[in-house]
Amino acid sequence: MTLNTQILKIREKFLHEYKEVKNSKDIERLKIEYLGKKGLLQSLMLFLKDASTEERPVFGKEINELKNEITIQLENGLISFLSKEEDKKLNNEEIDVTLPGRKNFQGRFHPLTLLMNEVIDIFVSMGFAVETGPDVDSDYYNFEALNFAKDHPARDMQDTFYLNDEMLLRTHTSNVQVRVMEKFKPPIRCIAPGKCFRNENISSRSHVFFHQVEMFYIDEKVTFASLLATMDEFCSKLFKKKIETRFRPSYFPFVEPGMEGDIKCIICSGQGCKVCKHSGWLEVFGAGMIHPEVLKSGGIDPEKYTGFAAGLGIERLAMLMYNIKDIRYFTQNDLKFLQQFDL
Ligand code: PHE
């Protein structure tokens, strides 16, 4: 069979097969059959090698023409089949307008963030500036500069996660105190919100990490009375009503005198429940007059200046405000719990 007849035969075969095409898949199949690497046109090219020098350009041209013709036809066919198929698919799809709409879930702040922001706003409105300190800190700022000597038994009060001899996870936001004193001169009126860590047993009342807001004020003639007044003012602003508070003498090495501030348990109204350990009161802050040694660590003259400091436990406060009976809810990421707190 001459090359010429072969070309003609392939054209005929193609035209015949093309008539039978029913969809885009058939076109793809023809594409491979005719134009593919091992396709019919490629096999014609192999024959071209055996043709004489005169015939070669003539046949080459013919094969190329056939190739172009087939390519164009298949391309056009493919486009028209694909659009027909798409139309058919769309026509068959039905929209069920009676189906309920999809719900849009909106993110929101964690209840602790909400409360933290509220506490910050109140102190800022009272003239306090906001500072922060590191979660991973040195023994110096967390303990030593705060009048905890190396072997001070009060260190046992705070079960510390040590990273090595020198570094630890801060056990309280009081680590910010001396840092701020080093940076600013009195009058200093400052709060420091943040995360704290203690190696405690996890229970309904305590967790290994929690949040505090440290608050301190250093100036000439700062008195214990200003501390009580500040905490009273803060509590009534936070709870938006007069709140019953009580102050008990307590001990922290970095304050003298030191005390703990309690709020009447709002969950049980002072009757006694699991959260307040049946005492009717919830401890929400530690406080006191800044110890002269601590002022000295911060380069502040204790003869000239005095100051007060307080540390608020945010989880405790949140439990009171939102009537939450177990501190572990805050970290369980249960949407049913978290979605109750709106912006
Ligand atoms: N840092 C103390 C604690 O975490 C709280 C405190 C802060 C006490 C400031 C007195 C003054 O227990």
Side-chain angles (χ1 to χ4, degrees):
M1 214 192 295
T2 65
L3 195 47
N4 203 9
T5 17
Q6 285 199 41
I7 295 175
L8 284 174
K9 270 200 128 175
I10 288 183
R11 171 180 277 119
E12 249 172 53
K13 182 170 149 63
F14 174 74
L15 291 176
H16 177 70
E17 282 184 20
Y18 190 80
K19 270 197 214 131
E20 307 291 309
V21 162
K22 291 197 179 56
N23 52 39
S24 59
K25 275 209 186 101
D26 289 346
I27 300 248
E28 296 289 1
R29 196 175 37 74
L30 288 189
K31 228 175 167 177
I32 296 169
E33 185 183 344
Y34 286 86
L35 306 172
K37 265 194 204 144
K38 291 181 186 156
L40 291 171
L41 283 166
Q42 199 54 35
S43 65
L44 284 181
M45 289 295 194
L46 296 178
F47 282 112
L48 205 53
K49 279 200 307 236
D50 307 328
S52 66
T53 339
E54 299 89 60
E55 283 175 332
R56 206 174 290 157
V58 182
F59 288 140
K61 200 170 156 233
E62 274 182 31
I63 295 174
N64 258 334
E65 275 168 9
L66 179 58
K67 192 174 169 189
N68 286 341
E69 194 184 319
I70 292 179
T71 309
I72 291 170
Q73 187 138 6
L74 289 179
E75 283 305 319
N76 289 342
L78 188 63
I79 292 170
S80 92
F81 273 113
L82 282 179
S83 99
K84 269 187 224 150
E85 282 159 11
E86 181 73 10
D87 282 351
K88 202 169 153 199
K89 198 174 142 206
L90 288 177
N91 286 336
N92 286 342
E93 264 175 19
E94 270 180 38
I95 296 174
D96 184 352
V97 288
T98 63
L99 280 176
R102 256 180 230 145
K103 223 176 168 181
N104 246 342
F105 284 103
Q106 196 186 357
R108 62 189 77 210
F109 284 113
H110 190 278
L112 291 177
T113 309
L114 288 177
L115 181 58
M116 190 81 121
N117 288 344
E118 208 166 324
V119 168
I120 293 171
D121 282 352
I122 293 173
F123 278 122
V124 167
S125 80
M126 290 164 76
F128 286 80
V130 182
E131 287 287 325
T132 50
D135 292 357
V136 176
D137 206 356
S138 60
D139 182 278
Y140 177 76
Y141 284 111
N142 194 81
F143 287 129
E144 211 165 318
L146 295 174
N147 200 30
F148 288 84
K150 273 261 184 283
D151 53 357
H152 200 296
R155 287 186 180 213
D156 298 341
M157 278 162 53
Q158 309 195 348
D159 306 294
T160 311
F161 286 114
Y162 280 95
L163 302 180
N164 54 38
D165 282 351
E166 195 34 44
M167 301 303 282
L168 46 81
L169 298 184
R170 68 167 165 195
T171 58
H172 51 184
T173 44
S174 303
N175 71 329
V176 182
Q177 285 190 24
V178 169
R179 291 174 178 278
V180 170
M181 293 179 208
E182 286 171 347
K183 216 160 110 190
F184 303 105
K185 297 221 160 344
I188 295 171
R189 216 189 284 127
C190 172
I191 56 168
K195 226 180 222 151
C196 309
F197 308 83
R198 285 187 205 177
N199 191 0
E200 293 197 40
N201 288 331
I202 297 175
S203 70
S204 66
R205 298 182 81 238
S206 52
H207 209 290
V208 287
F209 63 84
F210 52 94
H211 299 79
Q212 288 187 339
V213 174
E214 190 81 4
M215 182 272 290
F216 51 101
Y217 176 34
I218 304 165
D219 200 354
E220 292 179 36
K221 303 192 183 77
V222 174
T223 65
F224 197 75
S226 14
L227 168 59
L228 297 184
T230 305
M231 292 322 290
D232 256 5
E233 172 76 5
F234 167 77
C235 288
S236 354
K237 280 198 162 163
L238 184 68
F239 290 95
K240 298 184 182 71
K241 62 176 183 190
K242 190 92 192 86
I243 272 292
E244 221 176 308
T245 50
R246 76 174 186 188
F247 299 91
R248 282 175 290 117
S250 183
Y251 176 70
F252 303 96
F254 41 97
V255 285
E256 179 56 39
M259 60 183 201
E260 264 163 72
D262 300 343
I263 292 177
K264 178 71 87 51
C265 182
I266 295 182
I267 292 172
C268 64
S269 311
Q271 298 303 304
C273 65
K274 206 173 152 199
V275 173
C276 63
K277 272 196 181 158
H278 303 281
S279 70
W281 294 89
L282 262 188
E283 179 204 326
V284 285
F285 56 91
M289 299 305 290
I290 299 177
H291 198 287
E293 286 303 320
V294 177
L295 292 174
K296 273 195 222 160
S297 309
I300 291 174
D301 179 4
E303 297 295 327
K304 190 167 174 208
Y305 296 103
T306 50
F308 64 66
L312 290 159
I314 295 300
E315 276 77 357
R316 286 284 154 78
L317 266 181
M319 288 166 85
L320 268 177
M321 297 193 66
Y322 304 125
N323 196 2
I324 296 161
K325 301 209 163 47
D326 194 316
I327 198 170
R328 288 168 288 203
Y329 281 122
F330 291 121
T331 46
Q332 280 166 348
N333 287 337
D334 179 352
L335 279 182
K336 279 202 217 101
F337 170 75
L338 295 172
Q339 282 172 345
Q340 297 174 72
F341 305 94
D342 267 318
L343 301 182

